[in-house]
Amino acid sequence: TALSKDAVIRKYRKSIKCGVELNRGQLTAVHFAESIWQAKQPNAEEEEEDTTQEWSSVSAIMGGSVGSGKTVAACSLLWKNRKTGPQLVLCSPGALIRWRDELSKINDLNINIFGCKGWSFNGEDGDVFALRTSDILIC
């Protein structure tokens, strides 16, 4: 049987244990974005031999008024995907500090910044190519 929208959101809330409590709107946005991104992932085993054929990309943009929680919702998506490898956040110089502050509230992420004031990479050898799983690079 199909779950109601409320039941789906309650179930989904349990899957996000990032250290920040998301409101219903944020959970809905994260669930929607994640379901879109998972809908059209190419599968190497199922790819046709003709590599010139491109698969259509699927993406999502979160929109809303200032203070509606878009950054926090996006941070939780980064947290959910932290084990897939390092991730990149591109933002305006004015938003760089906001992203750093919001990401610092999330458990199990290593935040590295390259921006207005220069490089503040926290890697042991200082090499950007040494980024590891759970690393977030904000530029």
Side-chain angles (χ1 to χ4, degrees):
T1 63
L3 294 174
S4 71
K5 191 173 185 178
D6 288 334
V8 169
I9 295 302
R10 279 194 305 275
K11 184 177 179 182
Y12 193 69
R13 180 183 301 275
K14 293 177 183 177
S15 73
I16 301 179
K17 303 288 184 196
C18 62
V20 174
E21 185 71 25
L22 300 177
N23 66 36
R24 180 179 169 74
Q26 291 165 325
L27 285 167
T28 302
V30 170
H31 182 262
F32 177 73
E34 192 172 48
S35 65
I36 285 176
W37 291 336
Q38 291 175 352
K40 288 292 277 182
Q41 295 297 324
N43 185 341
E45 296 171 3
E46 296 176 5
E47 281 184 10
E48 296 179 22
E49 289 185 30
D50 180 12
T51 57
T52 60
Q53 183 180 11
E54 294 182 26
W55 60 284
S56 61
S57 65
V58 178
S59 50
I61 296 174
M62 288 186 210
S65 60
V66 174
S68 64
K70 298 176 298 292
T71 305
V72 174
C75 289
S76 69
L77 277 170
L78 292 171
W79 177 83
K80 283 197 80 166
N81 292 296
R82 71 192 181 284
K83 293 182 180 179
T84 63
Q87 301 190 50
L88 176 66
V89 173
L90 297 173
C91 60
S92 67
L96 194 135
I97 302 303
R98 169 96 172 141
W99 273 97
R100 183 202 62 200
D101 291 347
E102 293 298 338
L103 283 166
S104 68
K105 298 174 187 174
I106 307 290
N107 298 332
D108 303 325
L109 294 178
N110 304 313
I111 304 158
N112 305 285
I113 299 172
F114 182 73
C116 303
K117 300 288 183 180
W119 185 245
S120 69
F121 182 67
N122 298 325
E124 293 173 8
D125 59 4
D127 183 2
V128 69
F129 298 107
L131 289 170
R132 295 185 272 302
T133 301
S134 295
D135 283 351
I136 306 288
L137 179 61
I138 308 172
C139 299

